[in-house]
């Protein structure tokens, strides 16, 4: 099973999903949205997906900014979803958290 970062969703989102490759995904980790342009300008970034909500036990935190998946840039939310859909575990997310660039590993 692969952990999943989801788009949109929120409280009404399903707790388990299948990915396009027929693999069962672990419970949803987070709800994300396109990063606001003002935030990207302030951080001098071209893109990213902003974490809005997290599930219990998620390695992500609210306000994390996901900027890459396995070294591939995330410009918008749709990129994050596509990169996660094609990725095989383990997946490494590059995240900006409180101004620090960190790596979050998803099994």
């Amino acid at each position: 099973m692969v952990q999943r970062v989801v788009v949109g969703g929120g409280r009404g989102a399903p707790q388990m999903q299948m990915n396009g490759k027929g693999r069962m995904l672990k419970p949803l980790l987070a709800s994300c949205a396109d990063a606001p342009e003002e935030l990207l300008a302030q951080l001098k970034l071209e893109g990213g997906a902003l974490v809005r909500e997290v599930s219990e036990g998620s390695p992500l935190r609210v306000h994390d900014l996901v900027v890459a998946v396995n070294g591939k840039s995330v410009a918008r939310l749709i990129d994050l979803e596509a990169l996660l859909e094609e990725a095989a575990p383990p997946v490494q997310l590059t995240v900006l958290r409180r101004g620090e660039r960190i790596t979050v590993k998803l099994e």
Side-chain angles (χ1 to χ4, degrees), residues 12 22-23 51 56 61 71 80 84 93:
R23 291 185 291 212
V51 176
E56 186 176 326
R61 304 287 177 261
L80 174 61
L84 288 171
L93 301 179

Side-chain angles (χ1 to χ4, degrees), residues 35-43:
E37 293 296 324
E38 303 81 32
L39 176 62
L40 295 175
Q42 180 183 4
L43 297 172

Side-chain angles (χ1 to χ4, degrees), residues 9-54:
R11 299 185 195 285
Q15 293 303 301
M16 296 291 279
Q17 293 185 0
M18 296 289 284
N19 72 5
K21 297 179 181 174
R23 291 185 291 212
M24 181 61 79
L25 301 168
K26 285 186 178 180
L28 306 178
L29 295 177
S31 174
C32 301
D34 284 331
E37 293 296 324
E38 303 81 32
L39 176 62
L40 295 175
Q42 180 183 4
L43 297 172
K44 298 180 181 168
L45 295 172
E46 293 184 20
L50 184 65
V51 176
R52 298 183 314 179
E53 293 181 51
V54 294

Side-chain angles (χ1 to χ4, degrees), residues 34-90:
D34 284 331
E37 293 296 324
E38 303 81 32
L39 176 62
L40 295 175
Q42 180 183 4
L43 297 172
K44 298 180 181 168
L45 295 172
E46 293 184 20
L50 184 65
V51 176
R52 298 183 314 179
E53 293 181 51
V54 294
S55 298
E56 186 176 326
S58 174
L60 296 170
R61 304 287 177 261
V62 172
H63 303 300
D64 278 355
L65 184 63
V66 181
V67 295
V69 176
N70 291 339
K72 296 180 182 177
S73 294
V74 171
R76 301 190 55 170
L77 183 60
I78 195 166
D79 299 326
L80 174 61
E81 188 171 52
L83 289 168
L84 288 171
E85 193 69 28
E86 69 185 34

